[in-house]
Amino acid sequence: MTLVTSAVIAHGDVTPQAVDTSSLKQIGAEWQAKNPYLGNKEAIRIGSSAFNQNCARCHGLGAVSGGIAPDLRYLPAGQEGDEIFLQRIRHGATRDGRVYMPPFEGILSQEAMWTIRAWLETVRED
């Protein structure tokens, strides 16, 4: 927990917010390779809120980056984008000992992560 806390502080004083996914079908413990909530209106609604609470500070409102972090509207569509997204949100990003994004595995549930990805697909641009 100390590593996660220091990682979050390294990228701004951000406290991850809980995401209520109780209205969705639960996925289980095994990590999914593709988004089980793609196109699910309830998941998209939850994901929009989850993004604003946990991601927008760095990735921008509406996923329009102000330059601090990548603009997530340009993630590839479908399973290719799912793979990139899941790798980064679960494990974060560190370069040369600097935390660019904290890992959210163990902080956000798999369901919460996939709701964010479902919402990102709705704002995606080529």
PDB file of all heavy atoms in Angstrom, residues 61-82:
ATOM      1  N   LEU A  61     -10.573  16.389 -18.815  1.00  0.00           N
ATOM      2  CA  LEU A  61     -12.020  16.204 -18.892  1.00  0.00           C
ATOM      3  C   LEU A  61     -12.377  15.719 -20.282  1.00  0.00           C
ATOM      4  O   LEU A  61     -11.841  16.218 -21.272  1.00  0.00           O
ATOM      5  CB  LEU A  61     -12.750  17.509 -18.580  1.00  0.00           C
ATOM      6  CG  LEU A  61     -12.620  18.003 -17.138  1.00  0.00           C
ATOM      7  CD1 LEU A  61     -13.275  19.372 -16.998  1.00  0.00           C
ATOM      8  CD2 LEU A  61     -13.244  17.006 -16.179  1.00  0.00           C
ATOM      9  N   GLY A  62     -13.271  14.751 -20.358  1.00  0.00           N
ATOM     10  CA  GLY A  62     -13.645  14.193 -21.653  1.00  0.00           C
ATOM     11  C   GLY A  62     -12.522  13.416 -22.311  1.00  0.00           C
ATOM     12  O   GLY A  62     -12.569  13.122 -23.495  1.00  0.00           O
ATOM     13  N   ALA A  63     -11.473  13.111 -21.547  1.00  0.00           N
ATOM     14  CA  ALA A  63     -10.274  12.408 -22.029  1.00  0.00           C
ATOM     15  C   ALA A  63      -9.454  13.263 -22.990  1.00  0.00           C
ATOM     16  O   ALA A  63      -8.600  12.761 -23.699  1.00  0.00           O
ATOM     17  CB  ALA A  63     -10.611  11.048 -22.635  1.00  0.00           C
ATOM     18  N   VAL A  64      -9.707  14.570 -23.014  1.00  0.00           N
ATOM     19  CA  VAL A  64      -8.947  15.500 -23.848  1.00  0.00           C
ATOM     20  C   VAL A  64      -7.756  15.962 -23.018  1.00  0.00           C
ATOM     21  O   VAL A  64      -7.902  16.779 -22.117  1.00  0.00           O
ATOM     22  CB  VAL A  64      -9.807  16.712 -24.276  1.00  0.00           C
ATOM     23  CG1 VAL A  64      -8.985  17.687 -25.109  1.00  0.00           C
ATOM     24  CG2 VAL A  64     -11.047  16.249 -25.024  1.00  0.00           C
ATOM     25  N   SER A  65      -6.591  15.431 -23.316  1.00  0.00           N
ATOM     26  CA  SER A  65      -5.409  15.717 -22.514  1.00  0.00           C
ATOM     27  C   SER A  65      -4.939  17.155 -22.702  1.00  0.00           C
ATOM     28  O   SER A  65      -4.951  17.688 -23.803  1.00  0.00           O
ATOM     29  CB  SER A  65      -4.269  14.776 -22.892  1.00  0.00           C
ATOM     30  OG  SER A  65      -3.112  15.101 -22.139  1.00  0.00           O
ATOM     31  N   GLY A  66      -4.498  17.727 -21.595  1.00  0.00           N
ATOM     32  CA  GLY A  66      -3.877  19.042 -21.638  1.00  0.00           C
ATOM     33  C   GLY A  66      -2.373  18.937 -21.746  1.00  0.00           C
ATOM     34  O   GLY A  66      -1.658  19.904 -21.576  1.00  0.00           O
ATOM     35  N   GLY A  67      -1.872  17.748 -22.014  1.00  0.00           N
ATOM     36  CA  GLY A  67      -0.440  17.559 -22.190  1.00  0.00           C
ATOM     37  C   GLY A  67       0.264  16.866 -21.047  1.00  0.00           C
ATOM     38  O   GLY A  67       1.398  16.458 -21.186  1.00  0.00           O
ATOM     39  N   ILE A  68      -0.388  16.716 -19.901  1.00  0.00           N
ATOM     40  CA  ILE A  68       0.242  16.054 -18.763  1.00  0.00           C
ATOM     41  C   ILE A  68       0.372  14.563 -19.026  1.00  0.00           C
ATOM     42  O   ILE A  68       1.382  13.950 -18.736  1.00  0.00           O
ATOM     43  CB  ILE A  68      -0.576  16.292 -17.472  1.00  0.00           C
ATOM     44  CG1 ILE A  68      -0.524  17.754 -17.085  1.00  0.00           C
ATOM     45  CG2 ILE A  68      -0.052  15.431 -16.331  1.00  0.00           C
ATOM     46  CD1 ILE A  68      -1.425  18.107 -15.917  1.00  0.00           C
ATOM     47  N   ALA A  69      -0.667  13.973 -19.581  1.00  0.00           N
ATOM     48  CA  ALA A  69      -0.711  12.527 -19.821  1.00  0.00           C
ATOM     49  C   ALA A  69      -1.308  12.281 -21.206  1.00  0.00           C
ATOM     50  O   ALA A  69      -1.896  13.183 -21.800  1.00  0.00           O
ATOM     51  CB  ALA A  69      -1.555  11.860 -18.738  1.00  0.00           C
ATOM     52  N   PRO A  70      -1.182  11.082 -21.730  1.00  0.00           N
ATOM     53  CA  PRO A  70      -1.705  10.801 -23.073  1.00  0.00           C
ATOM     54  C   PRO A  70      -3.199  11.093 -23.213  1.00  0.00           C
ATOM     55  O   PRO A  70      -3.969  10.945 -22.266  1.00  0.00           O
ATOM     56  CB  PRO A  70      -1.436   9.301 -23.250  1.00  0.00           C
ATOM     57  CG  PRO A  70      -0.301   9.010 -22.336  1.00  0.00           C
ATOM     58  CD  PRO A  70      -0.490   9.928 -21.152  1.00  0.00           C
ATOM     59  N   ASP A  71      -3.576  11.507 -24.397  1.00  0.00           N
ATOM     60  CA  ASP A  71      -4.979  11.745 -24.759  1.00  0.00           C
ATOM     61  C   ASP A  71      -5.591  10.387 -25.063  1.00  0.00           C
ATOM     62  O   ASP A  71      -5.278   9.764 -26.079  1.00  0.00           O
ATOM     63  CB  ASP A  71      -5.042  12.658 -25.979  1.00  0.00           C
ATOM     64  CG  ASP A  71      -6.437  13.170 -26.254  1.00  0.00           C
ATOM     65  OD1 ASP A  71      -7.378  12.355 -26.195  1.00  0.00           O
ATOM     66  OD2 ASP A  71      -6.573  14.366 -26.548  1.00  0.00           O
ATOM     67  N   LEU A  72      -6.460   9.932 -24.174  1.00  0.00           N
ATOM     68  CA  LEU A  72      -6.989   8.574 -24.270  1.00  0.00           C
ATOM     69  C   LEU A  72      -8.056   8.405 -25.343  1.00  0.00           C
ATOM     70  O   LEU A  72      -8.485   7.285 -25.607  1.00  0.00           O
ATOM     71  CB  LEU A  72      -7.512   8.122 -22.905  1.00  0.00           C
ATOM     72  CG  LEU A  72      -6.440   8.061 -21.810  1.00  0.00           C
ATOM     73  CD1 LEU A  72      -7.052   7.659 -20.487  1.00  0.00           C
ATOM     74  CD2 LEU A  72      -5.312   7.121 -22.206  1.00  0.00           C
ATOM     75  N   ARG A  73      -8.459   9.477 -25.993  1.00  0.00           N
ATOM     76  CA  ARG A  73      -9.409   9.359 -27.100  1.00  0.00           C
ATOM     77  C   ARG A  73      -8.770   8.647 -28.290  1.00  0.00           C
ATOM     78  O   ARG A  73      -9.471   8.169 -29.164  1.00  0.00           O
ATOM     79  CB  ARG A  73      -9.895  10.732 -27.548  1.00  0.00           C
ATOM     80  CG  ARG A  73     -10.699  11.462 -26.486  1.00  0.00           C
ATOM     81  CD  ARG A  73     -11.010  12.868 -26.928  1.00  0.00           C
ATOM     82  NE  ARG A  73      -9.773  13.584 -27.159  1.00  0.00           N
ATOM     83  CZ  ARG A  73      -9.656  14.657 -27.952  1.00  0.00           C
ATOM     84  NH1 ARG A  73     -10.701  15.139 -28.581  1.00  0.00           N
ATOM     85  NH2 ARG A  73      -8.497  15.258 -28.097  1.00  0.00           N
ATOM     86  N   TYR A  74      -7.448   8.586 -28.307  1.00  0.00           N
ATOM     87  CA  TYR A  74      -6.747   7.991 -29.440  1.00  0.00           C
ATOM     88  C   TYR A  74      -6.259   6.575 -29.196  1.00  0.00           C
ATOM     89  O   TYR A  74      -5.478   6.044 -29.991  1.00  0.00           O
ATOM     90  CB  TYR A  74      -5.592   8.905 -29.868  1.00  0.00           C
ATOM     91  CG  TYR A  74      -6.119  10.251 -30.301  1.00  0.00           C
ATOM     92  CD1 TYR A  74      -6.027  11.361 -29.478  1.00  0.00           C
ATOM     93  CD2 TYR A  74      -6.757  10.392 -31.523  1.00  0.00           C
ATOM     94  CE1 TYR A  74      -6.539  12.590 -29.866  1.00  0.00           C
ATOM     95  CE2 TYR A  74      -7.268  11.620 -31.922  1.00  0.00           C
ATOM     96  CZ  TYR A  74      -7.161  12.706 -31.087  1.00  0.00           C
ATOM     97  OH  TYR A  74      -7.678  13.917 -31.476  1.00  0.00           O
ATOM     98  N   LEU A  75      -6.725   5.941 -28.120  1.00  0.00           N
ATOM     99  CA  LEU A  75      -6.433   4.519 -27.938  1.00  0.00           C
ATOM    100  C   LEU A  75      -7.046   3.754 -29.110  1.00  0.00           C
ATOM    101  O   LEU A  75      -8.133   4.115 -29.581  1.00  0.00           O
ATOM    102  CB  LEU A  75      -7.067   4.000 -26.647  1.00  0.00           C
ATOM    103  CG  LEU A  75      -6.305   4.196 -25.359  1.00  0.00           C
ATOM    104  CD1 LEU A  75      -7.182   3.801 -24.167  1.00  0.00           C
ATOM    105  CD2 LEU A  75      -5.033   3.397 -25.346  1.00  0.00           C
ATOM    106  N   PRO A  76      -6.404   2.711 -29.584  1.00  0.00           N
ATOM    107  CA  PRO A  76      -7.008   1.911 -30.653  1.00  0.00           C
ATOM    108  C   PRO A  76      -8.354   1.340 -30.213  1.00  0.00           C
ATOM    109  O   PRO A  76      -8.589   1.112 -29.030  1.00  0.00           O
ATOM    110  CB  PRO A  76      -5.996   0.786 -30.888  1.00  0.00           C
ATOM    111  CG  PRO A  76      -4.705   1.305 -30.342  1.00  0.00           C
ATOM    112  CD  PRO A  76      -5.080   2.219 -29.204  1.00  0.00           C
ATOM    113  N   ALA A  77      -9.207   1.098 -31.171  1.00  0.00           N
ATOM    114  CA  ALA A  77     -10.519   0.509 -30.890  1.00  0.00           C
ATOM    115  C   ALA A  77     -10.380  -0.981 -30.589  1.00  0.00           C
ATOM    116  O   ALA A  77      -9.371  -1.605 -30.918  1.00  0.00           O
ATOM    117  CB  ALA A  77     -11.446   0.711 -32.091  1.00  0.00           C
ATOM    118  N   GLY A  78     -11.408  -1.528 -29.985  1.00  0.00           N
ATOM    119  CA  GLY A  78     -11.511  -2.973 -29.806  1.00  0.00           C
ATOM    120  C   GLY A  78     -10.456  -3.582 -28.926  1.00  0.00           C
ATOM    121  O   GLY A  78      -9.905  -2.937 -28.036  1.00  0.00           O
ATOM    122  N   GLN A  79     -10.150  -4.845 -29.201  1.00  0.00           N
ATOM    123  CA  GLN A  79      -9.288  -5.630 -28.331  1.00  0.00           C
ATOM    124  C   GLN A  79      -7.858  -5.097 -28.273  1.00  0.00           C
ATOM    125  O   GLN A  79      -7.216  -5.181 -27.231  1.00  0.00           O
ATOM    126  CB  GLN A  79      -9.297  -7.097 -28.735  1.00  0.00           C
ATOM    127  CG  GLN A  79      -8.744  -7.981 -27.639  1.00  0.00           C
ATOM    128  CD  GLN A  79      -9.074  -9.444 -27.828  1.00  0.00           C
ATOM    129  OE1 GLN A  79      -9.840  -9.821 -28.699  1.00  0.00           O
ATOM    130  NE2 GLN A  79      -8.486 -10.276 -26.995  1.00  0.00           N
ATOM    131  N   GLU A  80      -7.352  -4.513 -29.356  1.00  0.00           N
ATOM    132  CA  GLU A  80      -6.000  -3.938 -29.311  1.00  0.00           C
ATOM    133  C   GLU A  80      -5.943  -2.821 -28.272  1.00  0.00           C
ATOM    134  O   GLU A  80      -5.037  -2.765 -27.444  1.00  0.00           O
ATOM    135  CB  GLU A  80      -5.590  -3.397 -30.686  1.00  0.00           C
ATOM    136  CG  GLU A  80      -4.217  -2.746 -30.662  1.00  0.00           C
ATOM    137  CD  GLU A  80      -3.843  -2.070 -31.974  1.00  0.00           C
ATOM    138  OE1 GLU A  80      -4.662  -2.067 -32.919  1.00  0.00           O
ATOM    139  OE2 GLU A  80      -2.726  -1.538 -32.041  1.00  0.00           O
ATOM    140  N   GLY A  81      -6.931  -1.939 -28.288  1.00  0.00           N
ATOM    141  CA  GLY A  81      -6.998  -0.870 -27.297  1.00  0.00           C
ATOM    142  C   GLY A  81      -7.247  -1.399 -25.904  1.00  0.00           C
ATOM    143  O   GLY A  81      -6.716  -0.864 -24.920  1.00  0.00           O
ATOM    144  N   ASP A  82      -8.071  -2.442 -25.807  1.00  0.00           N
ATOM    145  CA  ASP A  82      -8.337  -3.069 -24.501  1.00  0.00           C
ATOM    146  C   ASP A  82      -7.032  -3.541 -23.867  1.00  0.00           C
ATOM    147  O   ASP A  82      -6.789  -3.334 -22.681  1.00  0.00           O
ATOM    148  CB  ASP A  82      -9.278  -4.265 -24.649  1.00  0.00           C
ATOM    149  CG  ASP A  82     -10.709  -3.890 -25.003  1.00  0.00           C
ATOM    150  OD1 ASP A  82     -11.061  -2.692 -24.972  1.00  0.00           O
ATOM    151  OD2 ASP A  82     -11.472  -4.821 -25.316  1.00  0.00           O
TER     152      ASP A  82
END
